[in-house]
Amino acid sequence: MASVALITGASRGIGRAVALRLARDGYTVVLNYRRNERAAQDTAQILQALGADGMLCCADVTDESAVRRMVKTIEEQYGHIDLLVNNAGVAEQALFTDLTASQWRAMMDVHVNAAFYTCSAVLPLMIRRKSGCIVNIASMWGQVGASCEVHYSTAKAALIGLTKALAKEVGPSGIRVNCVSPGAVDTDMMAGFSDADREAIAGETPLGRLGKPEEIASAVSFLASSDASFITGQVIAPNGGLVI
Ligand code: NAP
């Protein structure tokens, strides 16, 4: 029986790379996305070409009932979920003094509340089997804070806090919870940055470049594997040395 992984925000970027890596690792892969049907279908096609099993699930992770419906569908289809990767996210740059309450809430919704909804829906299935693994995709800005991204940094710091506390609570049930905290990674999320900005970030990074989505996927794959069987509540930071 293949292990089943649910990856949120798997249509593009890091989520897509995680899905492809986990498929290569032998997982049945459930690809969640919000609205970019075309990108999600492309990811599904690549998976199919790899001979991987899986399904697409369109659901806005900020909508608790949509998350519950998605998890119920997966349970009906496969009976279990072994790995949850909370990856869906958005970034936004704004001066703190310009931020509206609605922008603030939207950032908490997609990074923090969504992780609460997915973990709450998936954990009963994992606890029943006394095994499971959760990997949350945070950010280096959740570790050290970013100017003009206070809401994003706050949300990612909260996700790191959720990871540590939840790891303590569900460890006795045989479930591991960890964080991957990437540095700057070349995805659509960086599309708003000018070439000069990207070069500046690369220049400040000891390894001299932006990260690739596949390099974040490697960290997720490791944390999900039996090689990480004694690792829980930790933050692994593939960031090229930008934050040490
Ligand atoms: P991306 O290329 O912009 O992709 C974002 C993904 O999240 C898409 O699949 C998108 O779905 C999905 N998504 C957004 N809101 C959603 C929602 N409400 N419900 C369900 N899915 C939703 O971003 P990325 O760079 O791969 O980022 C992935 C994660 O890594 C994020 O949590 C981000 O904060 C984190 N991260 C990224 C970087 C970086 O430099 N790229 C650095 C550190 C951390 P649609 O395609 O349907 O819109």
Side-chain angles (χ1 to χ4, degrees):
M1 187 170 55
S3 295
V4 177
L6 165 60
I7 303 127
T8 70
S11 48
R12 302 180 274 126
I14 292 170
R16 172 186 282 185
V18 169
L20 299 183
R21 174 59 191 262
L22 293 175
R24 289 198 181 92
D25 291 346
Y27 281 86
T28 292
V29 176
V30 181
L31 308 168
N32 160 262
Y33 66 103
R34 174 187 44 174
R35 60 165 86 105
N36 196 332
E37 176 82 32
R38 177 80 176 267
Q41 291 287 359
D42 285 350
T43 308
Q45 267 177 16
I46 304 170
L47 279 172
Q48 223 171 13
L50 288 174
D53 190 13
M55 66 194 276
L56 280 174
C57 269
C58 180
D60 182 339
V61 291
T62 67
D63 176 345
E64 184 180 11
S65 44
V67 168
R68 293 215 167 267
R69 281 195 301 276
M70 170 171 71
V71 170
K72 192 161 188 295
T73 305
I74 301 166
E75 189 184 7
E76 283 165 4
Q77 177 77 20
Y78 300 113
H80 56 103
I81 297 175
D82 303 279
L83 170 62
L84 165 65
V85 183
N86 282 311
N87 165 78
V90 297
E92 180 181 55
Q93 294 196 307
L95 277 176
F96 183 73
T97 45
D98 288 342
L99 275 181
T100 63
S102 132
Q103 284 174 295
W104 182 269
R105 278 194 293 266
M107 201 53 85
M108 300 307 139
D109 272 347
V110 73
H111 296 286
V112 188
N113 298 339
F116 169 66
Y117 304 147
T118 55
C119 292
S120 306
V122 167
L123 272 170
L125 278 66
M126 292 182 169
I127 290 168
R128 203 163 65 204
R129 289 160 58 93
K130 289 231 167 280
S131 95
C133 181
I134 298 173
V135 179
N136 296 319
I137 308 298
S139 163
M140 63 179 169
W141 300 132
Q143 296 175 275
V144 294
S147 163
C148 297
E149 292 189 69
V150 175
H151 54 345
Y152 181 80
S153 298
T154 303
K156 291 301 196 182
L159 191 56
I160 292 171
L162 180 154
T163 301
K164 293 179 179 182
L166 190 59
K168 288 185 179 175
E169 186 165 325
V170 299
S173 299
I175 298 158
R176 295 184 300 108
V177 189
N178 288 292
C179 246
V180 171
S181 186
V185 182
D186 200 2
T187 68
D188 293 347
M189 198 170 266
M190 296 287 296
F193 288 74
S194 66
D195 286 349
D197 286 343
R198 293 161 63 94
E199 273 167 34
I201 295 169
E204 285 167 31
T205 304
L207 291 183
R209 61 175 175 83
L210 303 188
K212 300 178 201 144
E214 293 74 18
E215 292 172 314
I216 312 309
S218 296
V220 174
S221 167
F222 166 67
L223 285 172
S225 76
S226 56
D227 285 342
S229 52
F230 201 49
I231 298 179
T232 197
Q234 303 303 314
V235 181
I236 289 192
N239 62 29
L242 191 51
V243 167
I244 292 176

